[in-house]
Amino acid sequence: MLRLAVLVSGGGTNLQSLIDQIEQHKLPNVKIEVVISNKIGVYALERAKQHNIPAETILKKEYSDNEAFGEALRKLIDRYQVDLVVLAGCLLIIPEQVIHNYYNRIINIHPALIPSFSGEGFYGLKVHEAVLARGVKVTGATVHFVDEGTDTGPIILQKAVMVDQEDTPEILQRRVMEQAEWEILPEAVRLIAEKRIILENNIVKIKK
Ligand code: GRF
């Protein structure tokens, strides 16, 4: 059984894509042990509650410094004894204590084709605003391992999505979620559950 901790910050549609695939038996041997939010009252927590998944909230402002927060987050995740940490619409910079304790066991979904439109300042709608401002014709989403950088870890899966010239950031965000994020995040979890991910010199290869 691949035990997951899913970290969220907002609406939780990526979390929902995992819940749906598990409940539809399309993700065998995968279980979400806990949903952890760094914001109170977000709908992702409601989604966890609706599906009887334990949910926790941890607020950085309640800790004296980054070190204390990082330690508390690591202990919280440790408590659920998970194999994989999934950042699903998570806008938190993951503290180094967590990254070191779960090295190559944290994955993130980014709403662009890394290395394009990624790194510091590229999150949520800002990504799609930058895509439209640059006038690119193709965007997409990326699932990658999380390392000490921002959106810099080894790429696991990517999927392209066409940009329409009438798109607004909101319309484009929705299409990228529907056509890419909600597909490749569960697929990446499936590949990890099936132990088909190989890392060679920081490049991901998938066992056929
Ligand atoms: C998604 O585009 C995700 O990639 C980004 O935030 C948006 C909302 O994610 N990080 P969710 O609905 O909270 O999963």
Side-chain angles (χ1 to χ4, degrees), residues 52-86:
N52 303 313
I53 299 169
E56 304 269 4
T57 301
I58 183 168
L59 303 179
K60 194 169 181 179
K61 67 183 179 185
E62 289 182 353
Y63 295 86
S64 54
D65 56 32
N66 285 345
E67 178 84 19
F69 173 69
E71 210 46 40
L73 180 57
R74 182 188 63 74
K75 284 178 182 163
L76 177 58
I77 297 171
D78 286 355
R79 197 187 309 161
Y80 287 87
Q81 298 180 307
V82 299
D83 304 299
L84 183 69
V85 178
V86 181

Side-chain angles (χ1 to χ4, degrees), residues 32-49:
I32 301 173
E33 297 295 340
V34 63
V35 171
I36 299 174
S37 174
N38 67 310
K39 289 188 172 30
I40 56 175
V42 293
Y43 194 65
L45 292 169
E46 182 57 31
R47 294 180 194 270
K49 185 178 168 195

Side-chain angles (χ1 to χ4, degrees), residues 110-112 116-118 120-139 163 168-170 172:
H110 181 75
S116 297
F117 307 104
S118 63
E120 292 283 322
F122 286 103
Y123 56 87
L125 266 185
K126 290 176 186 290
V127 171
H128 307 293
E129 288 164 357
V131 162
L132 294 174
R134 182 63 185 82
V136 298
K137 306 310 174 190
V138 178
T139 187
V163 180
T168 64
E170 292 77 8
L172 182 55

Side-chain angles (χ1 to χ4, degrees), residues 10-15 88-91 109-111 124 128 173 177 181:
T13 64
N14 280 287
L15 165 67
C90 177
L91 300 180
I109 178 82
H110 181 75
H128 307 293
Q173 178 179 53
M177 288 199 277
E181 296 181 41

